[in-house]
Amino acid sequence: MKKFLLLAIMAVTVQMAVAQDYKKVQTNLLLNKYEDAKTEIDKVASDPKAQGKAETWYWKSKIYAGISKDTVLRLKYPAIMKDANDAFKKYAELDPTLAMVKEKGAEGYFDMYSASYNSAIKVFNTKKWDEAAQLFATGIFYIDDIIKNKWTNANISFDTTSVLYAAYSFQNAQKMDEAAKYYAILADHKVGGENYIDIYKFLATYNTNKKDEAQFKKYLAIGRELYPKEAWDEYEIDYMDKNLSLDQKTSVYDKEDAAGSLSEIKYLQFGDVFVNVKNKDKGMDSTKSLSYTLKAVDAFKKAFAKNNQNAIAAFNVGVIYYNIFGEYDDRYAANIRTMQGLNSSKTAEKDPKKKAAIDLKLTDQKNANMAIEKPLMDNLDMSVEWLEKSYTILKNKSARTNTEKSVINKTVDFLANLYTYKRDRVRGKDAKAFDAYDAKFKEYDALHAKY
């Protein structure tokens, strides 16, 4: 009985001693003697029994946060901010309702937020992106608790600046998943204005690369809502191009084209998708490849129909026809070379039967070129028509972009080549046509590199 009584007396004595130590901690805090308060709380925290008390960690977190906020003391205790953060987490673990904070004050949370934010800004300005990102994230943790528990009178739901800087820092640190998490906070609150459009562009690109259709569509829709004049169609086509099969892309195009819901930009983007099919799928047969090339022509023409001042759309149509013409011309020239070889063989051949066989081959080659003649000239004429449309639009522009300058310079060179071909085809056959085509050749040839 005496032993139990003795133990009880000892326990009460220890509790009184700890309570007395807490009073020393509070007294030093009241006098703003943070280092003395740190000494006292460190003594308390060294006692295993005190380590299980929320009060120990409340005071430790508050004191350490106060030291973290002091730029001079923070240099003296370089690990203080991390230690403070650990103390806050331990306190919250032991007092999940944060009852002591609500009773004794949340100054530690404010100090921790202030210390983290100010340190983050300094580090951010030195472009230490990862360190800045982590500091901003720490500050956000504390300001979120402050706002959630209504410890501030400020009418805000989150700290926009800290979140933006955290996202930007993580992005520069190449930690895209973390950057996306913070950009998404801003986007979910529909933060808008001139300086925030890149948030939605980032999320569109990020979710495209992640193949996350739901998130892509969610943030694209918000981007369209806040910035209706931005070219969001380009991001939509980019998503489809990277994540849909060719058959799926074709199906989307055909469906939206039939519904009349495709914009000028979407037609342009789909045109780019289709014209590049042959480059991406080298194993595709020529017939199917040509069908996609012609589908690209259809898309570019419809883009031009939406805006008849779209010189790029007209140029793209002209270039596709130019390339198809070139393919026919190569075949035409190959057939001529074959016929020349056959004629040489026929001249040297003495055997009548073999000569007759050569004649049959010559007839086949002539028929092949006759079949090529019409599509060759049709594509040539279509190329001229659309390239001249592009040239006329750009020629009349007072100010051209670098892309437009490149396009108009290529256009006049292509047109000079095409009129050379047309001229040489009628040489010695139609003097009037020859002179007309020669004049056009000279007109465009004189414009080489002029723009």
Side-chain angles (χ1 to χ4, degrees), residues 180-205:
K181 181 178 79 172
Y182 287 99
Y183 280 133
I185 293 171
L186 296 163
D188 288 340
H189 286 85
K190 295 188 178 180
V191 173
E194 183 180 351
N195 297 325
Y196 296 100
I197 188 170
D198 286 341
I199 293 170
Y200 303 92
K201 292 180 178 180
F202 175 93
L203 289 172
T205 302

Side-chain angles (χ1 to χ4, degrees), residues 76-125:
K76 187 174 179 180
Y77 302 100
I80 197 71
M81 192 175 294
K82 179 185 179 304
D83 292 340
N85 197 34
D86 291 342
F88 273 104
K89 290 179 180 177
K90 184 65 178 177
Y91 162 70
E93 179 187 320
L94 295 171
D95 183 15
T97 64
L98 307 182
M100 289 194 67
V101 179
K102 293 168 185 175
E103 177 191 349
K104 297 179 181 297
E107 292 85 356
Y109 281 78
F110 284 92
D111 287 347
M112 200 62 183
Y113 164 67
S114 174
S116 301
Y117 179 82
N118 291 330
S119 296
I121 290 294
K122 288 180 181 178
V123 175
F124 180 90
N125 289 333

Side-chain angles (χ1 to χ4, degrees), residues 1-8:
M1 183 72 179
K2 289 181 180 180
K3 286 184 179 179
F4 286 124
L5 181 61
L6 180 61
L7 287 172

Side-chain angles (χ1 to χ4, degrees), residues 356-423:
I358 291 172
D359 282 335
L360 286 174
K361 290 181 181 179
L362 281 167
T363 299
D364 287 343
Q365 293 299 313
K366 288 177 183 177
N367 289 338
N369 265 5
M370 287 176 64
I372 288 172
E373 182 86 19
K374 185 175 188 313
L376 181 151
M377 294 306 296
D378 285 348
N379 280 282
L380 185 155
D381 289 338
M382 291 295 285
S383 181
V384 168
E385 176 187 343
W386 284 91
L387 288 173
E388 287 191 328
K389 285 180 181 180
S390 179
Y391 169 70
T392 300
I393 294 166
L394 293 177
K395 177 189 68 172
N396 293 328
K397 286 193 75 170
S398 56
R400 304 180 191 90
T401 65
N402 289 334
T403 298
E404 289 171 337
K405 289 175 184 177
S406 174
V407 164
I408 194 170
N409 280 317
K410 290 177 181 176
T411 298
V412 296
D413 289 346
F414 288 151
L415 286 168
N417 292 341
L418 291 168
Y419 276 112
T420 297
Y421 190 93
K422 290 170 76 74
R423 180 196 65 189

